[in-house]
């Protein structure tokens, strides 16, 4: 019997590689505190490695900046850690093979004093997982940021890479799960492990928050779940997701927060016309 030929060697990827905007050189995944634009963490940021540690570190985060730092170094879900780092080191898309990959969880992005939150599903393997910024560097982000610019929330219509000058005003983007999952499908356990980060985001935003936009049914359910855990009044039966659906939640102090649903800005929806620019603009205008 003939010998089985060995697997071909993986392509040699540059490490460190040059950041496409700043020109700085970074290893992949990017070590915290090494100068990546927008990196909220340092080498001293505490790292969660279990669900219990996620709960403790989320609850103890003193402000959005510290919460983002702790999110960005989380290692509590082994499957997601393995996947995000394997993409960053061995599975880069050919078009970005010469770039460094963030390879860490995606912290929130936008105005720390925002009155509006956008809740997404999870980072994309070659989008946020590459750039380190929510909805940045992929087609979904192209759609979302162009719409946010038209709506007056974004300083520019494009979001190419961290450090490109984009600023959001009055709005911040968070996610149900903060690591890129295989096949874009986090498990139920992974969503539950990550939930305390969203809970704390909601708690820190609560005094100013007027509305939330949920991109897709998973984000809709995550927003409702976080609201219930915060002791907010959520209508019963549970409001069903749909594009343009709106429900009013009330904080424990009685403050109203509108939750608006939108189809996700995935290529599956935008390429097929299930979600159009006009449809996205309409829900953003209601925030």
């Amino acid at each position: 019997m003939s010998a089985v030929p060995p697997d071909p060697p993986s392509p040699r990827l540059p490490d460190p590689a040059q950041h496409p905007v700043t020109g700085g050189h970074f290893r992949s995944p990017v070590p915290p505190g090494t100068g990546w634009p927008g990196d909220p963490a340092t080498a001293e940021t505490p790292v969660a490695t279990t669900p219990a540690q996620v709960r403790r570190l989320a609850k103890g985060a003193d402000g959005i900046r510290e919460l983002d730092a702790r999110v960005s170094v989380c290692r509590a879900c082994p499957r997601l850690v393995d996947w995000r780092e394997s993409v960053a080191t061995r599975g880069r898309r050919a078009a970005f093979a010469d770039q460094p990959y963030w390879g860490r969880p995606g912290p929130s992005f936008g105005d720390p004093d925002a009155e509006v939150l956008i809740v997404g599903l999870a980072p994309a393997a070659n989008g946020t997982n590459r750039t380190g910024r929510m909805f940045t560097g992929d087609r979904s982000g192209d759609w979302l940021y162009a719409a946010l610019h038209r709506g007056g929330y974004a300083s520019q219509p494009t979001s190419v890479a961290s450090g490109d000058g984009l600023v959001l005003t009055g709005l911040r983007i968070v996610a149900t799960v903060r690591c890129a999952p295989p096949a874009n499908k986090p498990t139920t356990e992974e969503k539950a492990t990550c939930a305390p980060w969203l809970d704390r985001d909601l708690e820190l935003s609560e005094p100013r928050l007027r509305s939330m936009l949920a991109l897709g049914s998973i984000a809709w359910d995550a927003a409702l779940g976080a609201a219930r855990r915060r002791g907010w009044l959520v209508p019963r039966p549970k409001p069903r997701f749909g594009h343009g659906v709106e429900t009013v939640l009330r904080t424990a102090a009685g403050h109203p927060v509108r939750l608006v649903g939108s189809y996700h800005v995935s290529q599956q929806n935008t390429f097929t016309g299930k979600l159009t620019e006009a449809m996205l603009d309409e829900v953003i205008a209601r925030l």
Side-chain angles (χ1 to χ4, degrees), residues 130-149:
R130 172 174 61 90
T131 65
R133 194 167 73 192
M134 289 290 184
F135 284 101
T136 296
D138 59 20
R139 293 290 183 88
S140 296
D142 292 345
W143 265 71
L144 181 61
Y145 285 110
L148 291 178
H149 181 66

Side-chain angles (χ1 to χ4, degrees), residues 154-195:
S155 62
Q156 60 192 45
T158 58
S159 182
V160 178
S162 54
D164 64 3
L166 175 64
V167 175
L168 299 183
T169 302
L171 180 144
R172 190 167 73 257
I173 302 174
V174 299
T176 303
V177 173
R178 307 304 174 103
C179 294
N184 293 321
K185 293 181 179 179
T187 66
T188 300
E189 181 181 4
E190 289 161 352
K191 286 184 283 188
T193 297
C194 210

